[in-house]
Amino acid sequence: MMLQRPVWSTTATASPSTDGQDTGVHLFCLHHAGGTTASFAGWRFDGVTVTKLSYRGWDFMSLGAAADALAERVTASASDQLALYGHSMGAVLAFEIALRLQQTGRVAHVFLAATRPPSGTHDAGAAAVAAAGALSPRAREVLLEDLDLLAGYPGRPPRKQLEVPTTVLYSADDPVVPVADSLRWASWCAAEPRLVKLDTGGHLFHLGNPAVRMLVEKTLSSGPLSPEPSRDVLTDQRHG
């Protein structure tokens, strides 16, 4: 049943800087379809406030409506520097939120992980996600509700409209988003995005791999959030 008013939940954490310097950055994380804020457990960074946003597909008439509501939540932050990390469907929302807020001058960086560019072909990847893994009936219901919202997203033409410094993360063994699709994000970004490849990790490569968190923390703590365009490779930090 569609709710008359969109709802969401947040979990906010703030870590004091170990050197006494606060970067002033407020990072908002958006989980994958069917996921929860728990997918960002352990995301605490020195001098950065981290808010984990949650959404459910049945709460919104369209993905655009979800982006509108979440953008309102993000812009309510007291910080002058905002950053977004979105994974899979969450990355589509992060892209749309960034478009809505980029003219404020407050969005300093966007991380787009495990997602196709917004060319209107997300439903194919959604079907693959829905078929993957053993899920309980309730978990599958939640996943499919989220994916139904994503399937109605018309996408946007490639007009280099994202004016915010961007990092695109992708995995070589992602069964949902081919590497070639991840590399196409440059056509939607005004400046060349930084491309970061993981050799392994599958579609949900941010779960349990400290290398992803380390990259985000390093980016947010390195001063001006405008890294030079590059192609980097992250290794799985869980082993060795």
Side-chain angles (χ1 to χ4, degrees):
M1 180 177 178
M2 185 72 63
L3 299 180
Q4 294 300 309
R5 296 181 62 189
V7 296
W8 56 85
S9 62
T10 66
T11 302
T13 62
S15 301
S17 174
T18 55
D19 62 4
Q21 298 297 316
D22 193 327
T23 66
V25 178
H26 193 161
L27 172 66
F28 291 85
C29 301
L30 296 109
H31 58 72
H32 54 284
T36 68
T37 58
S39 64
F40 297 106
W43 283 51
R44 287 177 174 268
F45 310 131
D46 287 344
V48 176
T49 298
V50 181
T51 296
K52 306 156 189 177
L53 296 173
S54 186
Y55 60 89
R56 289 278 70 100
W58 57 66
D59 291 333
F60 302 100
M61 292 294 295
S62 66
L63 190 135
D68 287 341
L70 293 166
E72 184 177 349
R73 171 66 182 85
V74 171
T75 198
S77 169
S79 175
D80 290 332
Q81 287 197 92
L82 309 175
L84 300 163
Y85 178 101
H87 203 94
S88 193
M89 180 176 173
V92 179
L93 285 165
F95 169 76
E96 287 291 331
I97 293 169
L99 291 183
R100 285 159 171 74
L101 301 182
Q102 63 185 2
Q103 295 307 317
T104 67
R106 298 172 65 198
V107 184
H109 203 91
V110 179
F111 300 89
L112 304 174
T115 192
R116 289 174 169 80
S119 56
T121 59
H122 288 271
D123 53 342
V129 174
L135 298 174
S136 69
R138 175 56 179 162
R140 181 171 292 275
E141 178 185 357
V142 171
L143 172 63
L144 293 177
E145 288 280 359
D146 289 352
L147 295 179
D148 186 57
L149 187 70
L150 180 61
Y153 175 55
R156 291 179 182 269
R159 294 177 179 168
K160 295 185 177 293
Q161 57 267 66
L162 183 58
E163 301 173 0
V164 177
T166 302
T167 296
V168 175
L169 299 96
Y170 60 97
S171 177
D173 65 349
D174 189 334
V176 178
V177 181
V179 170
D181 280 352
S182 296
L183 299 181
R184 293 193 298 116
W185 265 104
S187 296
W188 281 262
C189 299
E192 193 73 17
R194 177 175 56 174
L195 302 173
V196 179
K197 173 186 174 183
L198 288 89
D199 288 329
T200 61
H203 187 58
L204 302 180
F205 53 76
H206 65 311
L207 298 179
N209 186 352
V212 178
R213 299 196 303 271
M214 291 167 61
L215 171 78
V216 173
E217 181 174 24
K218 181 178 180 181
T219 302
L220 298 183
S221 63
S222 60
L225 303 185
S226 302
E228 292 297 322
S230 64
R231 291 197 181 189
D232 303 323
V233 177
L234 288 183
T235 57
D236 192 330
Q237 298 294 316
R238 290 172 292 186
H239 308 289

